[in-house]
C-alpha cells in the first residue's frame, strides 16, 4: 500500500464536537485544515448526551442555521431544565430560564452522541476547506524545524503541518506525550453509562435528573430522557474517592436502580437496551498548560470538563472556537512559538476558569449532604431563592454566592 502524504498548515486531531467546531470556525474564516479521526462516522461515544446552553451559544456564533436544523431534527429532545434530587429525597426543579414559555426555542438539547457528533460531521463534509480523514489513527508525532510529521498507526498516511490542534479526547496520546497531560485521581472522574427503555415518570418538559445519592457523593446518578422513549442513565464519581472507598461503580449503580426509593418503581419494568460502558473524565479542577510551541489542546484533551456537572461538550466547543481564533492569528503573524501560543491558555481560562473553579468548590460542598438538603428545602419554600438558583445558570456572580459560608448562614436563619 502506497503511503499518502498530506501537507496543510493546520491539522486537527479528533473529529468530536471540539475538533469539528474548530474546523468549522477555521473554514468560516477561509482557512484550510486537515481533520483526522481514528473512527469512521457515525460512531458511538460514551457520554451523558446533554447539550447545554453553551453548546447552543457556540453553534449560534458559528451559524444560526445549524441550531435551527438541530432543533428540527428527530435526533434530539428539547430540554427545559434540571431536577435536583437531594440526599433527603426532596426534589428541586430548576428551569434553565425563569418563566420559560417554549416559544423562543430551547436553551438546551438532549441527543445521543452518536447522532450529535455525526450531525456536526455532516456540516464538516459540506466544507471544501476541510480535508476530513476518518478511520485513520495518528500514533507517531515528530516535530522538526517548525513542522509536525504525523504518521498513522498503519503507516498509510503522513500529515505534515505547522500547527496541531489536539481535540482527540480524554485519552489523547498527543496530549499525554507532547502536552504532558497525566491522569491525577483527584482531578479525574470515572463514569458509567447505559441506555434504558421503559423508565417511568420522565418529565413532560424533558428536565434532566441529577440524583445526589449519599453513596455517590460528591458525584451523582443521572437520568436524561432521549428520543424514542429511551433514557441515558449513569453515575460518576471522582477517581480518588472510588479508590479510597473501594467502590464497585457498576454494582453500586445497579443497586441504586433496584433499591433507591426514588428509582425502584420507575425502573421496575425498564430494560437495559445496551451494555453498560465506562469512561474517564479529566476534570478542569486545576489550571494546566494547554498549549506549547506549534500546538493547542482542546476540550477533554486539555482537561476542561466541568468538575461539578461533568459537562464536557460545551467546554470542548468553546475552547475549539477559541483555538480557531488563535490559529488565525498565528497564521497572520507566522508565529507558532510557545510564547505566542500562550494567548490560547489566557483566553480559554479567562472565559472558563471562573466557572471551573466555582464548580470545583461546589463539588466540595456536595460532600456535606446536610447543606445540600438545606438548600433544596429552603428553595422549595422561597421563590426568591429558587429564582436566584435559576439565574445562576447564566450569571456567575450569582453562582458565586453559593460557595460562601454566609449564604448558608442566612439560609439557616431565614424562615
Amino acid at each position: 500500500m502506497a503511503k499518502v502524504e498530506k501537507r496543510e498548515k493546520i491539522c486537527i486531531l479528533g473529529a468530536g464536537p471540539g475538533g469539528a467546531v474548530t474546523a468549522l470556525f477555521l473554514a468560516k474564516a477561509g482557512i484550510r485544515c486537515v481533520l483526522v479521526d481514528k473512527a469512521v462516522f457515525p460512531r458511538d461515544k460514551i457520554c451523558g448526551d446533554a447539550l447545554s446552553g453553551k453548546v447552543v451559544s457556540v453553534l449560534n456564533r458559528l451559524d444560526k442555521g445549524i441550531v435551527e436544523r438541530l432543533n428540527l431534527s428527530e435526533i434530539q429532545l428539547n430540554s427545559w431544565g434540571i431536577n435536583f434530587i437531594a440526599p433527603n429525597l426532596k426534589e428541586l426543579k430548576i428551569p434553565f430560564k425563569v418563566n420559560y414559555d417554549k416559544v423562543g426555542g430551547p436553551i438546551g438539547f438532549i441527543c445521543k452522541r452518536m447522532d450529535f457528533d455525526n450531525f456536526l460531521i455532516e456540516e464538516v463534509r459540506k466544507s471544501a476547506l476541510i480535508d476530513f480523514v476518518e478511520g485513520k489513527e495518528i500514533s507517531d508525532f515528530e516535530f522538526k524545524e517548525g513542522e509536525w510529521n504525523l504518521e498513522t498507526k498503519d503507516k498509510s498516511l503522513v500529515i505534515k503541518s505547522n500547527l496541531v490542534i489536539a481535540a482527540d479526547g480524554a485519552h489523547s496520546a498527543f496530549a499525554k506525550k507532547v502536552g504532558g497531560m497525566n491522569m491525577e485521581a483527584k482531578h479525574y472522574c470515572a463514569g458509567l453509562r447505559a441506555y434504558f427503555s421503559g423508565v417511568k415518570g420522565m418529565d413532560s418538559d424533558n428536565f434532566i435528573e441529577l440524583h445526589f445519592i449519599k453513596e455517590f457523593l460528591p458525584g451523582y446518578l443521572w437520568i436524561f430522557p432521549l428520543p424514542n422513549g429511551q433514557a441515558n442513565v449513569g453515575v460518576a464519581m471522582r477517581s480518588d474517592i472510588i479508590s479510597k472507598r473501594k467502590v464497585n461503580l457498576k454494582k453500586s449503580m445497579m443497586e441504586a436502580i433496584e433499591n433507591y426509593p426514588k428509582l425502584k418503581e420507575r425502573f421496575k419494568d425498564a430494560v437495559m437496551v445496551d451494555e453498560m460502558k465506562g469512561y474517564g473524565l479529566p476534570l478542569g479542577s486545576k489550571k494546566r498548560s494547554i498549549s506549547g510551541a506549534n500546538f493547542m489542546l482542546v476540550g477533554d484533551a486539555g482537561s476542561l470538563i466541568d468538575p461539578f456537572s461533568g459537562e464536557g461538550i460545551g467546554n470542548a466547543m468553546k475552547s475549539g472556537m477559541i483555538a480557531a481564533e488563535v490559529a488565525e492569528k498565528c497564521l497572520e503573524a507566522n508565529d507558532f512559538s510557545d510564547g505566542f501560543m500562550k494567548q490560547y491558555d489566557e483566553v480559554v481560562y479567562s472565559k472558563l476558569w471562573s466557572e471551573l473553579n466555582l464548580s470545583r468548590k461546589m463539588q466540595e460542598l456536595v460532600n456535606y449532604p446536610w447543606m445540600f438538603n438545606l438548600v433544596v428545602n429552603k428553595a422549595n419554600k422561597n421563590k426568591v431563592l429558587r429564582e436566584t438558583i435559576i439565574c445562576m445558570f447564566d450569571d456567575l456572580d450569582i453562582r458565586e454566592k453559593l460557595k460562601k459560608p454566609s449564604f448558608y448562614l442566612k439560609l439557616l436563619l431565614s424562615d
Side-chain angles (χ1 to χ4, degrees):
M1 181 171 56
K3 184 176 290 187
V4 176
E5 182 175 304
K6 293 179 180 287
R7 186 181 293 272
E8 202 63 73
K9 289 281 188 180
I10 300 173
C11 178
I12 302 169
L13 306 179
V21 160
T22 306
L24 289 166
F25 271 106
L26 287 172
K28 185 178 182 180
I31 299 170
R32 298 185 59 85
C33 71
V34 178
L35 174 65
V36 58
D37 198 289
K38 65 181 179 180
V40 175
F41 287 74
R43 60 93 175 97
D44 192 19
K45 179 73 167 64
I46 304 167
C47 182
D49 297 333
L51 308 177
S52 70
K54 196 179 295 179
V55 172
V56 177
S57 175
V58 171
L59 289 179
N60 275 326
R61 285 277 301 274
L62 179 62
D63 177 1
K64 290 186 178 181
I66 295 177
V67 177
E68 292 169 2
R69 289 191 286 278
L70 179 60
N71 194 26
L72 293 172
S73 173
E74 294 181 354
I75 66 173
Q76 61 78 33
L77 290 179
N78 292 174
S79 181
W80 298 94
I82 302 177
N83 190 8
F84 295 94
I85 297 88
N88 65 358
L89 306 184
K90 300 290 186 181
E91 299 185 18
L92 178 61
K93 291 189 68 173
I94 299 295
F96 293 134
K97 185 182 291 185
V98 177
N99 300 323
Y100 69 100
D101 58 11
K102 300 187 184 180
V103 174
I107 289 179
F109 297 95
I110 309 167
C111 180
K112 285 186 177 181
R113 281 292 301 275
M114 175 178 280
D115 296 326
F116 179 64
D117 289 17
N118 195 56
F119 172 84
L120 290 179
I121 288 300
E122 290 304 312
E123 297 293 329
V124 164
R125 295 187 198 276
K126 297 175 186 177
S127 176
L129 295 176
I130 303 172
D131 183 359
F132 179 43
V133 179
E134 54 187 331
K136 295 291 181 181
E137 181 178 359
I138 301 292
S139 60
D140 294 320
F141 324 99
E142 182 184 17
F143 185 67
K144 190 176 181 181
E145 297 179 355
E147 187 176 70
W148 288 102
N149 192 78
L150 310 170
E151 189 169 15
T152 58
K153 195 172 185 178
D154 63 6
K155 308 297 181 183
S156 66
L157 173 65
V158 172
I159 301 172
K160 295 184 180 295
S161 180
N162 299 107
L163 175 62
V164 169
I165 301 175
D168 48 345
H171 304 293
S172 169
F174 186 94
K176 185 176 181 180
K177 293 178 183 178
V178 179
M181 288 289 181
N182 294 308
M183 186 272 201
E184 299 176 68
K186 188 177 180 180
H187 304 285
Y188 205 85
C189 185
L192 291 175
R193 179 219 73 187
Y195 290 128
F196 283 80
S197 64
V199 179
K200 299 173 184 174
M202 303 301 286
D203 186 82
S204 59
D205 286 342
N206 300 320
F207 277 49
I208 65 176
E209 301 176 35
L210 302 181
H211 294 258
F212 290 86
I213 301 170
K214 189 175 181 180
E215 287 73 18
F216 296 128
L217 296 179
Y220 54 78
L221 181 148
W222 71 76
I223 304 174
F224 296 172
L226 287 167
N228 303 317
Q230 292 189 1
N232 180 319
V233 183
V235 293
M237 284 184 72
R238 227 170 57 200
S239 297
D240 61 325
I241 294 173
I242 290 175
S243 178
K244 182 180 179 181
R245 298 180 189 169
K246 296 180 171 56
V247 177
N248 182 324
L249 208 55
K250 182 177 181 179
K251 181 181 178 183
S252 296
M253 175 175 160
M254 294 309 299
E255 286 178 349
I257 286 171
E258 292 167 5
N259 302 313
Y260 190 60
K262 284 281 185 181
L263 301 177
K264 61 181 181 179
E265 285 301 316
R266 294 178 61 190
F267 279 85
K268 187 177 180 181
D269 301 313
V271 177
M272 191 186 301
V273 296
D274 73 340
E275 61 180 308
M276 193 178 292
K277 297 177 181 178
Y279 59 102
L281 303 173
L283 304 175
S285 44
K286 64 176 281 188
K287 279 189 177 180
R288 301 169 173 87
S289 176
I290 52 176
S291 70
N294 299 73
F295 76 87
M296 290 179 274
L297 306 179
V298 161
D300 294 9
S303 299
L304 294 174
I305 294 173
D306 189 284
F308 180 69
S309 69
E311 180 189 1
I313 302 173
N315 287 349
M317 292 170 65
K318 185 86 170 181
S319 59
M321 178 180 70
I322 296 167
E325 293 169 353
V326 172
E328 184 176 5
K329 293 178 182 177
C330 290
L331 292 174
E332 289 173 353
N334 194 29
D335 190 346
F336 302 92
S337 65
D338 179 52
F340 198 83
M341 301 307 301
K342 284 305 173 192
Q343 63 185 296
Y344 171 69
D345 300 52
E346 292 167 5
V347 177
V348 167
Y349 283 122
S350 73
K351 301 290 185 183
L352 296 180
W353 180 245
S354 292
E355 185 174 354
L356 291 171
N357 190 38
L358 185 54
S359 288
R360 177 182 65 83
K361 292 173 180 176
M362 292 290 289
Q363 181 195 62
E364 293 170 357
L365 283 175
V366 174
N367 267 319
Y368 304 95
W370 68 269
M371 197 175 293
F372 200 107
N373 293 337
L374 172 68
V375 173
V376 170
N377 288 343
K378 295 286 186 178
N380 274 317
K381 298 174 183 176
N382 188 316
K383 183 181 177 183
V384 174
L385 173 60
R386 190 162 60 251
E387 292 189 351
T388 297
I389 295 173
I390 294 170
C391 291
M392 83 180 193
F393 286 109
D394 294 315
D395 192 327
L396 277 177
D397 290 334
I398 292 176
R399 205 184 310 180
E400 187 78 17
K401 294 179 182 179
L402 298 180
K403 77 177 187 183
K404 295 179 179 179
S406 59
F407 175 83
Y408 299 95
L409 179 62
K410 288 178 183 177
L411 278 182
L412 282 168
L413 297 175
S414 67
D415 293 329

